[in-house]
Amino acid sequence: MIKTEKVLHLRSCKGRSVRVVREHYLRERVPCHSSLCQAACRNEGKLLAESATHYVIPDWKVVQDYLEILEFPELRGIVFMQTACQAVQHQKGRRQYNKLRNLLKDARHECVMFFNEFQLYSYVPREQGESVEKWQTSYLENFWPDLEAVHELYESIVQSRKERECENQEKNGKEYLEHLPLEILEAGIKSGRYILGVINVNKHRSQLEAFVRTQGLTNKKSELEMDILICGTKARNRAIQGDVVAVELLPRNEWKGRVSVLCENESEEKATEETESEPMATGRVVGIIQRNWRDYVVSFPPKEDIQSQGKNTRKILVTPWDYRIPRIRISTQQAESLQDCRIIVRIDSWDSTSLYPNGHFVKVLGRAGDLETEIAAILVENSISVSPFSEAQVREMPVNTPENPWKIDAEEQARRVDLRNTHLVFSIDPKGCEDVDDALSVRRLANENLELGVHIADVTHFVKFNSYTDLEARSRATTCYLADRRYDMLPTILSADLCSLLGGADRYAVSVMWELDKTNYEVLKVWFGRTIIKSAYKMFYEAAQGLLDGDLRVMDDITELNRLDEKDKHRILNDLIWAIEKLTEIARHTRAKRALGGALELEGIEVRVQLDEKKNISDLVPKQPLEVHETVAECMILANHWVAKKITENLPHQTLLRRHPSPQQEFFTELIDCAKAKGFNIDTRSNKTLAHSLDMAEDPDDPQVNKLLRSMATQAMSNALYFSTGSCSEDEFYHYGLALEKYTHFTSPIRRYADIVVHRLLMAAIMKDKKLEPKDSLLSNKDLAELCQHINNKNRAAQHVQKQSIELFQCMYFKDKDPSDERCTADGIIYSIRANGVLVFVPRYGVKAPAFLKNKEGLVISAQFDGPCVWKPGSLKRLRDKIISTTANGESVTFSLFDHITVRISEHSSRSHPDSIKLDIVSNQPFNTASAEPTHELSHTSKTDLVRAVIRSAEEAQLAQEHAKTTSIRIEDKEYCQTQGDSLYSLLEEIKELALLDITVG
């Protein structure tokens, strides 16, 4: 080791010159992080793979200006010099430097940092008067004397980019004439003159409407909490979907309403005052605070359009897959060869003189229309990475093979509570589920009380804090479920094996167990801790529901029962049926208790895609509600709630919880109007009044009405969010939908990183009870808040991916079907009225789509007596709850909310955008479902009746208890003649009773 010195001459605040000497140590052996190393370096942690054929050592200028290219997973074996990283830190700022740091930490990318400043043979001292740029470049010149040619290439690219930027600045002095300088924007936001928000472009009317969402952003001086309407692209001022913008509100007399016309394509952009809703806050964008530029999936224009521009044309306008993104201009000579492909581009800049941003080609995804290409497009559009797990992560995984099976460790067993021989543990999951992260148990105690147990896979035992697997799971944040596949957050050895609570396998778990009162199921005690369990049965929902309903034919679907003889099978089956029935009974009571507090029973539309052996779509089946769904969900909610209480008690300022803010009242407008059309009154003042209103909104002749109203209520809700308790006041912890003061996610650590964090927090809370220090270091409030924001973003993206993949399969199901196919005709329910059509829900396939009553030629729909609908000249008249189509010869047909109509379903293909479902009205009469439409409905109405009966009994008991409190006179009230009544009448009644007392007694 050799020591050198760096001498710095600094000037103090008083103007004195100070000489600072810093010691600098040089070593012969500095880790090179290469698996092919022949010098026996002490390489630890992340290594470059042995399969690498060459290493890439980017120049500091490349790292600064083209980092997004180095992020491509296809680029392997990248060695970042320490000096290049320092150049990014000092010259590009913290944001770019953090991107570089995250890239180096990311185990999915084969890149490492070499500390050339401390390696004896690569260290080059900076000469006096030598520029920083020249000194940083000199490192590579020592090894590659012919580097000058490479630098010339980089220099030409960088120089052209700088020239373009300087050109724009000279023209305007700032990016765009319409935008205000940053310092004015910041001062305006602080004073409340401008409002900060995220722009959200209307998917169906991208040229007409956008909304700026202020929720979650700091606008201290502004009292405006609703969305702000931005009308047209001119008022948007070159802001695109997802940009953080500053908005100036227009005067109230210029406010406009949302456009209520259905739009088939972007050419239909005519809006009149008759098609607008009530005016809402309206503004214009005056500045862009933060760009949301990322990778976009695009398609090229038709070949004839390209050829008309000339053979030597290199500038092509490509159309993004997302309707909300403007067209992007790129330079390419391969446009014709990529005609039928979907490619990825990235936006680089947006010239002030251009209507379109500039970008560059990144990658080809594949042929448009192919399943894998469309899935890849969905993933790219939502910034979901699905690269395989790296070698560094695989090396951290335990081994479980037939030759070397995994076993319970004896030392670990001594630290845990063993439940394998004392508890009947079983899991209930969907068919085909491999990542089983929760199991249940219930048993009767010696004192006749019940013990309920929720047992969750102990993922944190295998995934250590800040390990490569942990960093990868943190980056992914969630398992991503698509209609036909899933992309795991954790390696398969954990998600589908050692952490999955499979039947008959010994597994580590974290358990929550309650002692419940034998009569009213109130919680008497609760215990948290690490356990060892052995799940006896791995059941799916339909089998559990069959046992609950007394249908013993489902025994054959429970694999573990088939291994037993008939005598043991029936004995154990009785125990299993008792356990499921008792769990269901407990769940009914806990659900009733939450319902008294205002918990909502909302409705979502879930569709299961059935695939045949060749992976072709055979059917689309809406998910059917079963009572066991509610039973399992209620047990998980109970566990999440009690874990949230535990960790906030012991770690009040650095805990991860989940909150559900109260929804904005204007989002309920459509729900209230639709309910009024059926004679129902929806009270949205609180979650309790909303829940009661939805319970009352029952149409005995049409159960779909209540389902649709609940679905609309779900869409009006705010998003539930993860947050750090140190960043919010306690009154913001409340979960609106579940009606719980504290709630978190603890029950799915295999597929949610938030649950892994909560497991670590729970272990720390338990250690604190024992007066011990936690093994894992806990995140600070600031770090936890940033992590929560990252998880929220990833969860939202995963939800979008799941929804878009289902829509893709719905389109593929109808793509090649003839319109006369009986499967293309179904019953639809009108749930919203627009100026030129209606929105229709098709229960058979879980489809929601528009149906137009006026076509592009201006013809309106006319219903024939006992015949199909036809197009005729005429006009439409829209009312609050119905729309009337009147032809030129006086024929009219009325379409009202919740009417059942017959629709024909087809697929609408698009060259550049995702395909969509198209509905054509066949008849204004309901479809004859009995003869032609297969039904997947299962009869479980008794479940709703039972739950409501329990809720009613709980409400009656609560009212009786409150009545007893107000009518009885307590001893101290009698002694001091104090009244506890809430009205003058009750006060007089108490005085009357006191007057009749014999005061001489006692």
Side-chain angles (χ1 to χ4, degrees):
M1 183 171 63
I2 299 174
K3 184 179 78 171
T4 64
E5 290 183 349
K6 287 186 175 181
V7 180
L8 302 175
H9 293 277
L10 304 178
R11 191 170 296 277
S12 68
C13 57
K14 296 182 179 179
R16 296 172 57 190
S17 180
V18 180
R19 184 173 181 268
V20 178
V21 179
R22 292 180 179 172
E23 295 180 347
H24 190 86
Y25 294 91
L26 302 176
R27 297 171 175 83
E28 288 190 9
R29 291 189 178 181
V30 172
C32 64
H33 303 291
S34 171
S35 300
L36 302 172
C37 177
Q38 303 294 320
C41 292
R42 293 185 60 186
N43 290 315
E44 297 177 354
K46 192 175 181 181
L47 299 179
L48 299 177
E50 294 180 7
S51 58
T53 57
H54 59 274
Y55 292 147
V56 178
I57 305 178
D59 181 48
W60 66 276
K61 290 184 180 179
V62 178
V63 178
Q64 283 188 23
D65 298 320
Y66 301 98
L67 184 59
E68 70 271 12
I69 297 175
L70 301 175
E71 290 176 337
F72 294 163
E74 291 81 6
L75 282 177
R76 305 174 61 195
I78 303 177
V79 181
F80 289 99
M81 290 292 185
Q82 175 193 359
T83 47
C85 297
Q86 288 173 345
V88 173
Q89 181 181 15
H90 295 148
Q91 298 180 30
K92 283 294 182 180
R94 185 175 182 82
R95 186 178 178 186
Q96 187 81 349
Y97 182 62
N98 284 340
K99 284 182 66 177
L100 177 58
R101 288 181 60 194
N102 292 334
L103 180 64
L104 287 164
K105 289 179 183 178
D106 196 337
R108 295 170 297 178
H109 294 275
E110 287 194 14
C111 58
V112 296
M113 182 166 72
F114 177 66
F115 291 91
N116 55 328
E117 274 277 79
F118 299 99
Q119 216 283 338
L120 177 61
Y121 303 113
S122 65
Y123 172 69
V124 177
R126 182 180 171 188
E127 301 295 334
Q128 189 172 2
E130 186 179 18
S131 68
V132 175
E133 291 82 359
K134 177 64 178 173
W135 170 67
Q136 288 169 337
T137 306
S138 61
Y139 280 103
L140 294 183
E141 288 178 344
N142 279 356
F143 299 98
W144 291 279
D146 57 345
L147 192 65
E148 189 174 345
V150 180
H151 273 293
E152 287 179 2
L153 173 63
Y154 286 142
E155 285 287 351
S156 63
I157 298 172
V158 175
Q159 188 62 31
S160 63
R161 187 171 176 176
K162 284 183 177 179
E163 287 175 0
R164 189 170 64 224
E165 291 175 355
C166 292
E167 205 173 300
N168 290 337
Q169 288 178 358
E170 287 175 5
K171 285 179 182 177
N172 300 327
K174 58 178 183 295
E175 221 171 345
Y176 309 114
L177 289 171
E178 304 94 336
H179 292 175
L180 300 174
L182 184 60
E183 57 271 16
I184 295 178
L185 292 176
E186 290 176 346
I189 293 169
K190 192 175 292 186
S191 66
R193 179 178 179 183
Y194 306 126
I195 298 173
L196 192 66
V198 178
I199 197 159
N200 189 7
V201 179
N202 188 329
K203 177 182 177 182
H204 302 290
R205 304 191 64 79
S206 59
Q207 300 301 311
L208 276 179
E209 285 183 346
F211 302 90
V212 172
R213 183 148 294 176
T214 61
Q215 192 176 12
L217 295 174
T218 304
N219 289 290
K220 295 180 180 179
K221 300 289 184 180
S222 174
E223 297 179 359
L224 193 70
E225 294 182 355
M226 65 183 74
D227 291 350
I228 302 169
L229 176 65
I230 307 293
C231 295
T233 54
K234 187 175 181 181
R236 222 178 295 165
N237 284 342
R238 292 182 175 82
I240 66 173
Q241 170 71 19
D243 284 354
V244 179
V245 298
V247 179
E248 181 181 35
L249 285 181
L250 299 178
R252 281 188 176 270
N253 59 352
E254 296 183 28
W255 286 9
K256 297 183 179 181
R258 297 190 62 166
V259 177
S260 59
V261 174
L262 292 172
C263 182
E264 278 188 288
N265 52 53
E266 294 186 17
S267 63
E268 296 186 29
E269 293 170 1
K270 295 180 181 179
T272 61
E273 293 181 2
E274 288 77 22
T275 66
E276 291 184 356
S277 61
E278 291 296 321
M280 61 183 294
T282 308
R284 66 182 184 92
V285 174
V286 293
I288 299 173
I289 307 300
Q290 184 178 336
R291 285 286 191 188
N292 187 42
W293 291 349
R294 54 174 177 80
D295 290 340
Y296 297 100
V297 178
V298 303
S299 298
F300 285 89
K303 188 179 293 184
E304 54 272 17
D305 290 353
I306 297 176
Q307 290 174 344
S308 65
Q309 298 178 37
K311 291 184 178 180
N312 297 324
T313 300
R314 295 186 60 193
K315 296 284 186 179
I316 303 292
L317 278 175
V318 292
T319 306
W321 185 86
D322 190 339
Y323 284 94
R324 302 169 298 180
I325 306 301
R327 287 188 289 176
I328 304 169
R329 182 180 284 107
I330 65 170
S331 297
T332 181
Q333 294 179 333
Q334 306 178 55
E336 293 190 12
S337 62
L338 297 173
Q339 274 297 297
D340 300 324
C341 296
R342 296 208 190 278
I343 69 167
I344 300 175
V345 302
R346 176 169 288 194
I347 296 178
D348 294 322
S349 62
W350 197 334
D351 296 338
S352 59
T353 56
S354 174
L355 292 175
Y356 305 106
N358 301 308
H360 65 268
F361 171 89
V362 174
K363 181 183 179 182
V364 178
L365 290 180
R367 293 285 173 187
D370 292 348
L371 176 61
E372 295 304 320
T373 301
E374 299 304 316
I375 291 290
I378 291 172
L379 294 171
V380 169
E381 281 296 316
N382 291 280
S383 302
I384 297 291
S385 173
V386 293
S387 56
F389 292 95
S390 69
E391 292 182 14
Q393 292 149 12
V394 173
R395 283 198 301 267
E396 293 178 342
M397 294 296 98
V399 177
N400 188 27
T401 61
E403 300 79 22
N404 187 18
W406 179 84
K407 295 179 182 179
I408 295 289
D409 182 69
E411 292 184 4
E412 186 65 27
Q413 181 175 346
R415 291 191 287 265
R416 294 174 178 262
V417 177
D418 197 336
L419 307 179
R420 288 175 289 181
N421 299 321
T422 56
H423 291 64
L424 175 64
V425 179
F426 55 90
S427 62
I428 306 176
D429 289 282
K431 279 185 179 179
C433 178
E434 295 178 349
D435 48 347
V436 182
D437 36 20
D438 58 81
L440 300 165
S441 68
V442 61
R443 64 173 184 164
R444 198 177 297 279
L445 300 175
N447 59 3
E448 294 299 315
N449 286 336
L450 293 175
E451 182 192 72
L452 169 65
V454 172
H455 313 281
I456 309 300
D458 190 0
V459 173
T460 56
H461 173 80
F462 299 97
V463 180
K464 301 304 180 185
F465 180 69
N466 270 351
S467 63
Y468 289 115
T469 308
D470 183 48
L471 294 174
E472 174 67 14
R474 190 183 305 174
S475 174
R476 299 191 182 200
T478 180
T479 293
C480 193
Y481 292 91
L482 279 69
D484 67 330
R485 68 193 75 183
R486 75 172 192 266
Y487 295 103
D488 290 325
M489 183 184 75
L490 296 171
T492 305
I493 183 65
L494 296 183
S495 61
D497 191 359
L498 296 182
C499 288
S500 186
L501 306 182
L502 304 173
D506 294 338
R507 291 292 181 261
Y508 294 143
V510 178
S511 301
V512 185
M513 292 189 285
W514 301 266
E515 182 180 341
L516 306 176
D517 186 271
K518 58 188 174 185
T519 55
N520 58 13
Y521 303 117
E522 288 293 323
V523 175
L524 304 176
K525 294 179 184 176
V526 62
W527 179 86
F528 306 89
R530 280 190 153 124
T531 57
I532 300 175
I533 65 167
K534 190 175 194 176
S535 178
Y537 311 103
K538 181 179 179 290
M539 290 182 287
F540 52 86
Y541 286 116
E542 290 78 6
Q545 186 66 50
L547 294 180
L548 186 62
D549 295 339
D551 182 5
L552 300 184
R553 291 175 298 177
V554 299
M555 283 193 303
D556 297 335
D557 295 326
I558 304 175
T559 308
E560 292 81 5
L561 283 178
N562 296 330
R563 302 170 186 164
L564 305 174
D565 56 38
E566 288 299 316
K567 184 179 179 182
D568 290 337
K569 181 184 292 187
H570 285 86
R571 177 181 57 82
I572 293 174
L573 189 63
N574 289 333
D575 294 339
L576 190 57
I577 292 173
W578 177 88
I580 294 174
E581 289 176 345
K582 193 55 66 176
L583 279 175
T584 304
E585 195 174 337
I586 293 169
R588 288 171 187 162
H589 280 77
T590 55
R591 185 179 170 200
K593 188 176 179 181
R594 286 196 305 107
L596 287 175
L600 295 168
E601 181 185 350
L602 300 175
E603 187 81 21
I605 300 170
E606 294 186 44
V607 179
R608 181 164 53 89
V609 178
Q610 285 187 350
L611 303 175
D612 58 23
E613 294 178 355
K614 296 181 179 179
K615 297 294 183 181
N616 296 320
I617 309 167
S618 60
D619 201 359
L620 298 171
V621 184
K623 180 181 176 182
Q624 300 304 317
L626 306 174
E627 186 169 14
V628 289
H629 289 147
E630 300 292 343
T631 298
V632 174
E634 203 61 47
C635 292
M636 299 304 115
I637 290 170
L638 187 67
N640 288 333
H641 173 54
W642 279 88
V643 168
K645 290 169 64 177
K646 178 67 176 177
I647 58 181
T648 48
E649 285 172 6
N650 288 24
L651 305 163
H653 303 301
Q654 53 187 126
T655 290
L656 185 149
L657 295 185
R658 188 166 176 81
R659 66 188 179 98
H660 186 204
S662 301
Q664 298 180 25
Q665 287 299 310
E666 63 268 19
F667 291 167
F668 285 122
T669 304
E670 190 172 10
L671 169 66
I672 294 170
D673 290 343
C674 285
K676 280 181 181 177
K678 272 288 184 180
F680 302 128
N681 180 38
I682 302 294
D683 187 347
T684 61
R685 289 176 298 173
S686 68
N687 53 359
K688 189 167 186 177
T689 58
L690 176 59
H692 180 71
S693 300
L694 291 172
D695 286 341
M696 295 296 102
E698 288 274 8
D699 186 344
D701 299 324
D702 189 1
Q704 293 291 344
V705 170
N706 188 262
K707 290 184 178 181
L708 273 173
L709 290 176
R710 291 184 185 276
S711 176
M712 294 171 73
T714 304
Q715 292 179 342
M717 294 291 143
S718 304
N719 291 324
L721 301 167
Y722 297 108
F723 70 101
S724 173
T725 51
S727 59
C728 292
S729 58
E730 195 162 347
D731 58 349
E732 295 180 83
F733 292 5
Y734 187 67
H735 197 291
Y736 179 88
L738 298 177
L740 294 172
E741 296 295 332
K742 293 183 180 69
Y743 189 71
T744 191
H745 272 167
F746 158 77
T747 54
S748 296
I750 291 178
R751 61 185 180 90
R752 293 188 304 226
Y753 189 76
D755 301 54
I756 292 179
V757 176
V758 170
H759 275 238
R760 290 174 180 148
L761 290 168
L762 178 60
M763 292 303 107
I766 294 172
M767 296 290 283
K768 193 171 182 180
D769 283 342
K770 298 176 181 179
K771 311 296 183 184
L772 299 173
E773 287 295 321
K775 294 180 180 178
D776 294 329
S777 57
L778 300 179
L779 296 174
S780 66
N781 171 56
K782 181 182 177 182
D783 292 337
L784 189 58
E786 291 178 358
L787 177 60
C788 287
Q789 185 59 48
H790 166 72
I791 296 175
N792 289 333
N793 294 337
K794 286 293 184 181
N795 280 359
R796 198 175 300 114
Q799 290 167 6
H800 291 165
V801 165
Q802 185 175 17
K803 180 184 175 186
Q804 290 168 0
S805 73
I806 291 173
E807 291 172 352
L808 169 64
F809 276 89
Q810 286 173 333
C811 292
M812 294 183 72
Y813 179 72
F814 293 104
K815 187 170 188 176
D816 299 322
K817 288 184 172 53
D818 190 275
S820 60
D821 192 323
E822 61 179 10
R823 290 172 293 181
C824 294
T825 305
D827 188 64
I829 307 167
I830 298 172
Y831 69 92
S832 187
I833 306 292
R834 294 291 186 265
N836 60 338
V838 293
L839 296 179
V840 180
F841 170 57
V842 183
R844 169 66 180 84
Y845 299 111
V847 168
K848 282 185 174 181
F852 291 88
L853 302 182
K854 190 173 187 177
N855 64 14
K856 295 178 181 178
E857 289 74 34
L859 304 177
V860 298
I861 204 162
S862 174
Q864 303 295 304
F865 181 74
D866 291 337
C869 290
V870 294
W871 296 102
K872 292 184 178 181
S875 60
L876 297 176
K877 182 180 180 181
R878 180 196 178 192
L879 302 175
R880 182 176 61 86
D881 58 350
K882 58 188 174 183
I883 185 169
I884 302 170
S885 174
T886 306
T887 62
N889 58 7
E891 299 173 355
S892 68
V893 59
T894 302
F895 295 90
S896 302
L897 283 172
F898 301 109
D899 277 357
H900 285 250
I901 58 176
T902 303
V903 295
R904 183 180 294 114
I905 310 169
S906 60
E907 180 250 5
H908 174 68
S909 298
S910 172
R911 177 185 179 83
S912 304
H913 306 297
D915 296 343
S916 59
I917 290 291
K918 181 184 178 185
L919 298 182
D920 294 308
I921 299 177
V922 176
S923 170
N924 63 333
Q925 300 300 316
F927 183 62
N928 185 9
T929 57
S931 61
E933 184 177 342
T935 178
H936 300 277
E937 291 284 343
L938 298 175
S939 177
H940 290 292
T941 54
S942 57
K943 158 234 173 182
T944 305
D945 297 336
L946 281 170
V947 172
R948 289 182 180 173
V950 173
I951 293 173
R952 280 198 301 272
S953 63
E955 287 177 338
E956 289 169 0
Q958 189 182 48
L959 290 172
Q961 189 177 10
E962 291 174 355
H963 180 69
K965 287 181 180 179
T966 58
T967 56
S968 63
I969 304 174
R970 299 181 303 174
I971 297 174
E972 57 265 35
D973 295 338
K974 291 179 181 179
E975 182 178 357
Y976 297 104
C977 299
Q978 291 178 342
T979 179
Q980 296 297 311
D982 56 358
S983 68
L984 180 61
Y985 176 80
S986 61
L987 172 63
L988 294 174
E989 284 294 313
E990 289 181 29
I991 294 173
K992 179 182 176 182
E993 289 183 25
L994 289 170
L996 296 176
L997 294 176
D998 186 358
I999 59 174
T1000 62
V1001 178

